[in-house]
Amino acid sequence: MFPMPENWKELTVKERQTARLQAWANAGLEFTTPEAKKAYEQRTRMISDVVQLKKPERIPIIPWVGVYPAQYNGVTVEKLMYDYEVLGDTFRKFNADFLPDSLVSCSMIGPGKVYELLNIQHYHWAGHGTPPNTSYQYVEEEYMRADEYDTLINDPSHFFQHTYLPRVVGSLGPWAMLSPWTNVIELPLVAMAAVPVGIPNVQQSYQKLLAAGQAALEWFGAVGPIENASMAGLGLPQIISGITKAPFDYLGDTLRGTRGIMLDMYRQPAKLMEAMERLVPIAIELGLSGANAANSPFVFMPLHKGADGFMSNKDFEKFYWSSLKVVLLGLIDAGAIPYIFVEGGYNQRLDIISDSGIPAGHTVWMFDQTDMKEVKKKLGGWAAFGGNVSGSLLKAGKPQEVTDYVKRLIDDVAGDGGYILANGAVLDDATAENVHAMIDTGKEYGKY
Amino acid sequence: MSQALISAITEMREEDARQITTQLLDGGADPLKILDSCKQAMDIIGDQFENGEAFIPELILAGEMIKSISEILKSHMTEEVVTHKLGKVVIGTVQGDIHNIAKDIVVFMLDINGFEVTDLGVDVSAEKFVEAVKETEATIVGLSGFLTTAYDPMKVTVAALKEAKADVKIMIGGGQVNERICVYTGADAYGQDAIAAVSLAKQWIGA
Ligand code: B12
């Protein structure tokens, strides 16, 4: 938990960020060796320097890893979702063998048992609809209908409880019978709100939820020590803790689907804008709660449906950027550091996102298929950035090609700081030699 | 041709497009002529997409408009319209991958450029591709994939297709796909976008 200073309200935004960075650097881990402690301090220092646009001693290397550790360790993703001992072996091994500058966390793999108990409908996962050795799959549909904007806007929490969750979580179907808890304002209303909970179906749904909760806690109890072993044993700081999304993706991925939201841009733009505005404080809180709980300033934000090709720049500014910017500013105001995964290409958007309304040294932008020289031109001196080593190179290239690519990238854009070395798309499939080539080249060639 | 209808569609005025269609029909216009206007409008939108002036929302909405106009026209048409197609293409997102937005755009562009497209959807196994090629006698196959874990399924599908029908031409595309992956999978060509998909297909049928 982030120990919030008592005078928080009086602190400037920069002081808040510094307070979070310091708390993260002094995480109170029980390091197993003095070397691990030293390495942890060095890594948090390098990363802090980069965020604050100073020149670190070396370029930090923060790969973005998905299910690749399973392949590396010769086990299936399915196994990792059910057998936490193997999960631990796999991620401890991955972190120890590759030694990046931040923890590669096992938490994103997730617990298959919990998903089963809840009877999740909107995802397939390894062995449950997708092959045992792959990442999960989202079944994108219009889980919120076009005519439900007002219900969402009126009370997002109740919309989730009463409408969205029953549609996507099989075991919570009966929750469509529940009434809003905000009804509970007079004694007789307490009883009225409790009545639907007594319905046998609803009772069953709660029983399943209790079992899922227990299974989730069990998983969480297993994940903690696994992460801790790499953090305290190898001196790897945890970067990603909080997660949140752009309001457009919140709606476009989760609720309306691509087709739905794209039609809404024409058919009901005002409702769409209103809903996104409504989701802004919810998105900020989602990011901050994770950052606070894990005591890490970084809030991970994958950007999905605003990439080049998804819409015109004019629409991007109106529908995507305007509310995303408010979320970024909300996180920054609380001292957090948005760590933004700019998926796909953003070659047309660089002028828009390098918005002078966002203070310098408060965001991190990780790119995939965006021209990095342009990124450096537009973002350099304003925000930290990195990424771009491609998935195709790491899978089908040769180690020497990876080494050459990384060197060229460093020559081109690492300049005098503010730069992080990373792959562009989440690492699911690659060769170990290539991943080593990327990380090792960064370590040798990335000294300033 | 109805310029009013073409403008309504290309300017994304959905309600107007519907109304104009009804008015044209009430005025005794030939439904086939109305369809021609729709086709012309789609060509314009296709060009705009190519020039970076139209994007996914416009393509989706245009598709919706054409669908609803066709519905209106249906009851007024005495015979099925037989259009001459350039060639047959089978397309799908490969096994283990469910990204469909880009594939749908490729289908859309191939379709308005005169190809008969069989869209197998997402998460399509090599066997299904082979089956569909046999059934439709298509000479061109498009494989879409957005995940790095789609590389191997692409490779498997290419091998299966070539074994089943040696002269089938296979193009691949999608976010993480590039020339390197084309070599890796053994496909005949990689297409960077839907425009490339159309020109590859045209090249392969000699159009
Ligand atoms: C939208 C999106 C989603 C949506 C998909 C919705 C849908 N209905 O398709 C949702 C949110 C559901 C989703 C889910 C996931 N996604 Co996703 N997603 C994306 C995203 C942001 C955009 C892809 C897209 O649709 N682009 C729009 C199209 C129009 O762009 P385009 O590439 O320019 O399209 C042209 C060309 O590709 C070409 N083309 C395409 N197909 C073909 C075929 C042929 C034959 C030819 C010639 C040309 C061609 O023509 C198109 C039109 O001009 C990408 C990142 C990115 N921006 O690429 C990640 C991305 C593809 N997703 C990724 C991942 C990991 C996932 C998930 C596994 C989990 C996660 N962590 O998000 C899940 C599950 C997906 C699964 N198992 O299938 C990763 C894959 C990384 C990797 N190593 O494989 C990416 C690259 C993000 C990243 N940077 O890491 N995703």
Side-chain angles (χ1 to χ4, degrees):
Chain A
M1 200 65 200
F2 170 57
M4 200 170 275
E6 294 222 341
N7 60 344
W8 187 249
K9 286 222 169 77
E10 284 105 69
L11 297 185
T12 64
V13 169
K14 194 90 225 160
E15 286 166 341
R16 289 180 189 167
Q17 182 194 68
T18 306
R20 282 196 193 265
L21 280 168
Q22 275 168 358
W24 169 66
N26 307 320
L29 290 162
E30 309 231 340
F31 293 101
T32 39
T33 61
E35 291 79 46
K37 182 168 189 291
K38 220 177 127 218
Y40 187 90
E41 286 163 359
Q42 188 208 11
R43 290 186 171 114
T44 49
R45 195 169 56 237
M46 288 194 302
I47 298 167
S48 302
D49 283 348
V50 163
V51 171
Q52 302 191 330
L53 307 171
K54 289 181 248 170
K55 195 201 268 191
E57 45 217 281
R58 166 171 70 67
I59 293 169
I61 304 155
I62 308 181
W64 180 21
V65 179
V67 299
Y68 174 66
Q71 189 189 87
Y72 176 67
N73 196 31
V75 292
T76 63
V77 180
E78 182 180 16
K79 181 87 180 160
L80 300 186
M81 293 184 76
Y82 292 88
D83 186 332
Y84 306 146
E85 223 156 278
V86 180
L87 179 73
D89 291 345
T90 302
F91 277 80
R92 278 190 303 266
K93 181 173 164 58
F94 184 89
N95 279 300
D97 288 1
F98 289 95
L99 268 186
D101 289 321
S102 73
L103 174 75
V104 170
S105 165
C106 69
S107 64
M108 296 307 282
I109 295 290
K113 195 172 163 197
V114 174
Y115 305 153
E116 263 179 57
L117 284 165
L118 290 174
N119 190 9
I120 294 293
Q121 300 291 307
H122 55 320
Y123 285 92
H124 296 166
W125 63 91
H128 269 78
T130 58
N133 57 351
T134 58
S135 176
Y136 58 84
Q137 281 188 6
Y138 180 52
V139 185
E140 197 186 78
E141 275 175 36
E142 292 190 29
Y143 295 115
M144 171 185 146
R145 291 196 312 260
D147 60 2
E148 288 175 333
Y149 270 99
D150 285 331
T151 334
L152 172 77
I153 292 164
N154 185 38
D155 185 349
S157 283
H158 186 60
F159 179 80
F160 265 64
Q161 172 179 283
H162 179 266
T163 309
Y164 173 70
L165 290 177
R167 285 180 189 162
V168 297
V169 181
S171 299
L172 304 186
W175 281 19
M177 289 183 264
L178 293 178
S179 53
W181 294 109
T182 41
N183 286 3
V184 183
I185 51 170
E186 283 282 347
L187 189 59
L189 293 172
V190 176
M192 288 320 288
V195 166
V197 182
I199 300 169
N201 282 346
V202 179
Q203 295 253 311
Q204 265 170 24
S205 78
Y206 274 104
Q207 260 142 22
K208 285 180 188 148
L209 185 61
L210 290 177
Q214 211 168 28
L217 197 65
E218 222 170 82
W219 166 79
F220 196 66
V223 164
I226 296 172
E227 311 279 58
N228 198 60
S230 300
M231 291 170 73
L234 304 167
L236 298 179
Q238 182 171 22
I239 292 266
I240 301 310
S241 43
I243 289 193
T244 191
K245 275 189 166 183
F248 189 87
D249 290 331
Y250 201 121
L251 266 162
D253 289 349
T254 305
L255 298 175
R256 294 285 295 128
T258 312
R259 185 180 161 281
I261 199 164
M262 299 267 150
L263 288 173
D264 295 340
M265 285 167 65
Y266 276 101
R267 289 179 176 167
Q268 38 182 352
K271 281 285 167 232
L272 172 56
M273 293 297 286
E274 195 185 341
M276 290 195 290
E277 203 182 311
R278 185 76 173 90
L279 291 172
V280 162
I282 293 176
I284 294 173
E285 192 47 41
L286 173 61
L288 287 181
S289 61
N292 288 338
N295 187 19
S296 158
F298 298 96
V299 175
F300 174 73
M301 297 185 72
L303 304 189
H304 281 154
K305 288 162 183 166
D308 288 346
F310 271 93
M311 58 185 83
S312 66
N313 268 352
K314 199 168 139 256
D315 281 342
F316 178 80
E317 279 187 82
K318 176 177 173 187
F319 289 106
Y320 201 90
W321 179 244
S322 63
S323 51
L324 169 56
K325 181 177 168 182
V326 188
V327 172
L328 295 178
L329 288 172
L331 293 169
I332 292 169
D333 187 60
I337 302 161
Y339 197 93
I340 306 149
F341 274 92
V342 187
E343 300 189 3
Y346 256 57
N347 294 298
Q348 312 300 321
R349 318 279 198 222
L350 292 175
D351 282 324
I352 303 172
I353 61 171
S354 54
D355 187 317
S356 58
I358 292 178
H362 281 268
T363 48
V364 178
W365 300 78
M366 303 302 285
F367 292 90
D368 185 7
Q369 296 169 9
T370 306
D371 182 334
M372 295 305 280
K373 285 189 193 163
E374 284 300 309
V375 168
K376 162 112 184 132
K377 233 186 264 167
K378 301 275 162 67
L379 272 64
W382 168 76
F385 63 88
N388 180 256
V389 181
S390 77
S392 57
L393 182 63
L394 292 171
K395 164 78 178 172
K398 302 222 163 50
Q400 188 58 46
E401 291 175 288
V402 176
T403 301
D404 293 345
Y405 190 88
V406 169
K407 282 186 178 170
R408 213 174 325 125
L409 193 57
I410 291 176
D411 288 343
D412 284 347
V413 300
D416 39 28
Y419 174 74
I420 294 167
L421 176 64
N423 52 324
V426 60
L427 194 69
D428 285 338
D429 195 1
T431 70
E433 295 74 27
N434 287 345
V435 181
H436 273 301
M438 176 178 82
I439 293 175
D440 298 348
T441 308
K443 284 185 188 167
E444 287 154 26
Y445 199 71
K447 294 197 186 97
Y448 280 104
Chain B
M1 270 332 140
S2 159
Q3 191 50 52
L5 179 57
I6 296 173
S7 304
I9 298 174
T10 55
E11 286 161 19
M12 303 291 139
R13 288 182 278 114
E14 194 178 13
E15 226 8 83
D16 287 353
R18 246 196 306 259
Q19 264 174 26
I20 294 169
T21 305
T22 325
Q23 279 162 13
L24 286 171
L25 282 173
D26 290 346
D30 179 355
L32 288 178
K33 286 261 153 59
I34 299 178
L35 267 186
D36 277 345
S37 300
C38 288
K39 174 147 192 339
Q40 177 135 1
M42 293 311 255
D43 285 344
I44 295 173
I45 294 167
D47 289 344
Q48 289 175 342
F49 178 74
E50 199 164 338
N51 299 327
E53 292 157 11
F55 301 87
I56 300 177
E58 290 74 34
L59 296 192
I60 293 179
L61 186 62
E64 289 290 309
M65 286 191 274
I66 300 302
K67 224 195 294 165
S68 73
I69 293 175
S70 307
E71 279 302 315
I72 301 175
L73 293 183
K74 234 187 208 153
S75 52
H76 295 263
M77 303 237 271
T78 41
E79 53 197 313
E80 275 280 306
V81 222
V82 201
T83 43
H84 174 70
K85 292 283 181 185
L86 281 179
K88 289 180 179 173
V89 185
V90 163
I91 193 166
T93 302
V94 297
Q95 189 153 45
D97 196 341
I98 48 93
H99 291 86
N100 69 347
I101 304 168
K103 173 195 58 72
D104 290 351
I105 293 175
V106 176
V107 170
F108 178 92
M109 291 297 283
L110 284 168
D111 182 65
I112 63 171
N113 278 282
F115 286 89
E116 187 178 332
V117 189
T118 307
D119 182 357
L120 301 179
V122 298
D123 193 10
V124 181
S125 66
E127 297 80 57
K128 276 200 203 133
F129 274 106
V130 169
E131 232 170 77
V133 166
K134 281 191 180 147
E135 234 165 67
T136 61
E137 297 179 345
T139 55
I140 300 170
V141 177
L143 306 181
S144 188
F146 268 77
L147 303 169
T148 45
T149 48
Y151 298 159
D152 285 328
M154 276 185 176
K155 193 173 180 170
V156 170
T157 308
V158 170
L161 282 164
K162 292 281 178 189
E163 193 181 307
K165 187 172 175 183
D167 60 346
V168 69
K169 287 284 193 185
I170 304 166
M171 55 179 170
I172 60 172
Q176 303 292 320
V177 176
N178 55 19
E179 282 302 340
R180 185 190 295 281
I181 299 308
C182 186
V183 175
Y184 178 80
T185 57
D188 294 294
Y190 148 73
Q192 152 117 53
D193 50 29
I195 325 293
V198 172
S199 50
L200 281 168
K202 282 190 173 163
Q203 191 187 316
W204 284 339
I205 55 151

